[in-house]
């Protein structure tokens, strides 16, 4: 577990692909405790990344910090940007807005046609950064944090993420190309503006686009 920043209130780490965000055996909080050298220290998840997704993640080290960071997320004061590689080439930039519902039995998120019980609005902005070999590198800012939101919103428009297994029929020989790129928030104790950026690893398909 790579730690980018740590103090008495929070820790910022690089979540590996294949690791769950929640506090369970082998999850991010347990790995952070190991990296801190204290298996009993408080480490709380305040936002999640899909198990297959990698990149920056912030966790709280006190109950008060967890509460304040969670409030910032609820009030859209928590800045999150992702990088992704998608098949095809969307318009240069835009806003994707959908109604999504979660099919718990199939463990999939689906696009709904109208608002009803269990349906939530999903909104993101994106910009295409580059295009090579029928793949586009896009930067994404999330305004909502629905389960599988980025993956579903792009796939439903015919631009599935490279490496996608759940929402694409294409077969890519790589991990899903979705990376938590930037986190911005106010420190839960000092109020200081904090921002962290980390580039994705230089492996396929990131090396193509």
């Amino acid at each position: 577990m790579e730690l980018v920043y740590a103090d008495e209130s929070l820790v910022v780490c690089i979540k590996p692909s294949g690791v769950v965000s929640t506090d369970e055996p082998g999850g991010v909080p347990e790995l952070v405790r190991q990296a801190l050298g204290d298996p009993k220290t408080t480490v709380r998840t305040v936002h999640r990344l899909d198990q297959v997704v990698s990149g920056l993640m912030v966790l709280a080290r006190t109950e008060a910090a967890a509460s304040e960071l969670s409030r910032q997320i609820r009030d859209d004061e928590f800045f999150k940007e992702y990088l992704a590689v998608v098949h095809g080439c969307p318009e240069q930039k835009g806003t994707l807005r959908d109604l999504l519902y979660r099919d718990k039995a199939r463990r999939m998120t689906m696009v709904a046609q109208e608002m009803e019980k269990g349906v939530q609005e999903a909104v993101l902005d994106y910009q295409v950064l580059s295009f090579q070999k029928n793949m586009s590198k896009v930067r994404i800012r999330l305004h909502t944090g629905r389960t599988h939101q980025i993956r579903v919103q792009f796939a439903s428009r015919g631009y599935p993420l490279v490496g996608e297994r759940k929402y694409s029929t294409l077969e890519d020989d790589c991990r899903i190309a979705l990376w938590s790129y930037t986190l911005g928030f106010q420190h839960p104790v000092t109020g200081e503006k904090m921002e962290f950026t980390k580039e994705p690893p230089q492996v396929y398909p990131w090396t193509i686009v």
Side-chain angles (χ1 to χ4, degrees), residues 17-18 49-55 81-88 129 134-140 150-152 154-155 159-166 168 170-181 199-209:
S17 177
L49 297 178
D50 294 348
Q51 185 172 350
V52 296
V53 177
S54 311
E81 279 193 343
Y82 291 77
L83 294 178
V85 182
V86 304
H87 287 284
L129 301 178
N134 202 35
M135 293 186 293
S136 299
K137 180 180 179 181
V138 295
R139 185 172 63 225
I140 299 158
I150 294 172
R151 300 162 64 184
V152 173
F154 279 94
Y159 306 111
L161 273 62
V162 175
E164 175 66 76
R165 302 287 190 272
K166 190 177 287 285
S168 175
L170 300 175
E171 296 184 4
D172 300 307
D173 188 20
C174 62
R175 295 182 182 274
I176 192 168
L178 181 56
W179 178 263
S180 176
Y181 175 61
E199 293 288 339
Q202 288 302 294
V203 297
Y204 179 87
W206 302 105
T207 52
I208 301 296
V209 292

Side-chain angles (χ1 to χ4, degrees), residues 6-165:
D7 63 23
E8 294 181 352
S9 300
L10 59 88
V11 60
V12 178
C13 68
I14 302 297
K15 176 194 171 299
S17 177
V19 175
V20 295
S21 299
T22 48
D23 198 355
E24 54 190 275
V28 171
E30 181 180 81
L31 297 182
V32 168
R33 293 186 190 104
Q34 293 175 4
L36 291 170
D38 185 352
K40 295 184 178 180
T41 191
T42 298
V43 177
R44 296 194 174 192
T45 300
V46 294
H47 70 108
R48 299 184 183 186
L49 297 178
D50 294 348
Q51 185 172 350
V52 296
V53 177
S54 311
L56 287 167
M57 187 172 172
V58 60
L59 299 99
R61 299 189 66 186
T62 68
E63 184 177 346
S67 177
E68 170 57 17
L69 289 171
S70 296
R71 183 202 65 77
Q72 291 181 39
I73 293 170
R74 287 195 307 272
D75 294 346
D76 198 23
E77 298 174 8
F78 191 102
F79 182 77
K80 289 187 285 186
E81 279 193 343
Y82 291 77
L83 294 178
V85 182
V86 304
H87 287 284
C89 187
E91 293 185 13
Q92 189 64 32
K93 61 181 180 179
T95 298
L96 305 187
R97 190 180 301 269
D98 291 289
L99 299 176
L100 302 181
Y101 73 94
R102 183 71 177 161
D103 186 328
K104 293 182 179 179
R106 298 170 60 192
R107 303 184 70 176
M108 295 181 71
T109 298
M110 318 293 286
V111 176
Q113 300 305 312
E114 58 186 28
M115 183 61 74
E116 56 185 86
K117 183 178 180 181
V119 173
Q120 296 177 302
E121 186 179 42
V123 184
L124 63 81
D125 295 327
Y126 77 89
Q127 180 177 4
V128 175
L129 301 178
S130 59
F131 176 72
Q132 294 287 340
K133 298 185 178 181
N134 202 35
M135 293 186 293
S136 299
K137 180 180 179 181
V138 295
R139 185 172 63 225
I140 299 158
R141 180 179 180 185
L142 278 183
H143 294 288
T144 54
R146 312 308 180 199
T147 302
H148 297 177
Q149 176 179 338
I150 294 172
R151 300 162 64 184
V152 173
Q153 288 196 274
F154 279 94
S156 68
R157 290 166 170 81
Y159 306 111
L161 273 62
V162 175
E164 175 66 76
R165 302 287 190 272

